[in-house]
Amino acid sequence: SNPSKGSNPSKGSGPSKGGKGYDTNPPTPSPTVCQDNPDRFFVPGTGGNQLRTCDWVNRNPGTELIPWRCGEYPEAAENCPESCRLCPTPEPTPAPSSAPTTCLDNTDRFLVPGTGGNGMRTCEWVNRSQGTGSIPWRCDFYPEAAANCRVSCDSCPTPAPSNGPTRSPSKAPSSTPSISPSSLPTESP
């Protein structure tokens, strides 16, 4: 099954153009991940077989932040976007969905089922249930009380501790003196 003399089999997968075997399909979109091509690629004007890699692009980078071959050879920039620092900067994360909530007692009346009457209560009613502990017993007994009277029921979230010490010292000295004396005497009496 030899092709007849003078015919040129198609080199592409799409329809041929003028019998020359050129692919006329649109190029496949680039992947969304921005990374260097791990394969060899053709870079004209570089000598030898002119097949290069991103390692070649990064060799002898010069004094600039970006290897000089990225600007000299468009094929280097196309195939090595990571090395040539052409990858887009990730979008900043969106702002928090809501402002931090302030922890307050509800000043309105709210429904507390099972308390008689119309069941409408206030945080003042919750605070009148002070038992032997520091938290009113109604906070533990009625979930609606704890949800609406967060300060009274001591159910405000505590802020997370900071990751490290502050940059500036506090204005007041510490309240406790050091336990042991300094090792060296002072110059003045």
Side-chain angles (χ1 to χ4, degrees):
S1 68
N2 288 337
S4 62
K5 188 175 181 181
S7 70
N8 188 359
S10 175
K11 294 179 184 176
S13 59
S16 63
K17 177 181 173 184
K20 299 288 185 188
Y22 295 104
D23 192 349
T24 58
N25 286 336
T28 306
S30 299
T32 56
V33 177
C34 187
Q35 60 188 28
D36 287 353
N37 180 353
D39 300 325
R40 297 171 69 126
F41 49 90
F42 182 74
V43 182
T46 57
N49 67 5
Q50 301 179 68
L51 291 176
R52 302 292 175 236
T53 63
C54 291
D55 285 340
W56 172 82
V57 171
N58 286 307
R59 244 182 265 142
N60 304 320
T63 58
E64 300 299 317
L65 182 63
I66 299 169
W68 67 271
R69 289 181 171 125
C70 295
E72 189 70 24
Y73 301 104
E75 298 80 8
E78 284 174 27
N79 285 281
C80 309
E82 199 172 9
S83 293
C84 295
R85 298 194 181 15
L86 296 173
C87 294
T89 305
E91 292 291 322
T93 56
S97 56
S98 62
T101 56
T102 305
C103 190
L104 300 170
D105 279 355
N106 184 351
T107 56
D108 297 327
R109 296 172 71 85
F110 50 90
L111 178 63
V112 182
T115 58
N118 67 2
M120 297 304 286
R121 303 291 177 228
T122 63
C123 290
E124 185 178 299
W125 172 81
V126 171
N127 284 318
R128 285 196 306 255
S129 69
Q130 200 68 39
T132 56
S134 61
I135 298 173
W137 65 266
R138 288 179 174 145
C139 294
D140 294 326
F141 196 76
Y142 298 108
E144 297 82 1
N148 283 282
C149 307
R150 295 171 66 191
V151 173
S152 296
C153 294
D154 196 26
S155 59
C156 294
T158 55
S162 62
N163 291 334
T166 57
R167 291 187 181 270
S168 57
S170 58
K171 293 182 182 191
S174 59
S175 58
T176 27
S178 57
I179 297 171
S180 59
S182 60
S183 60
L184 298 173
T186 57
E187 295 282 329
S188 60

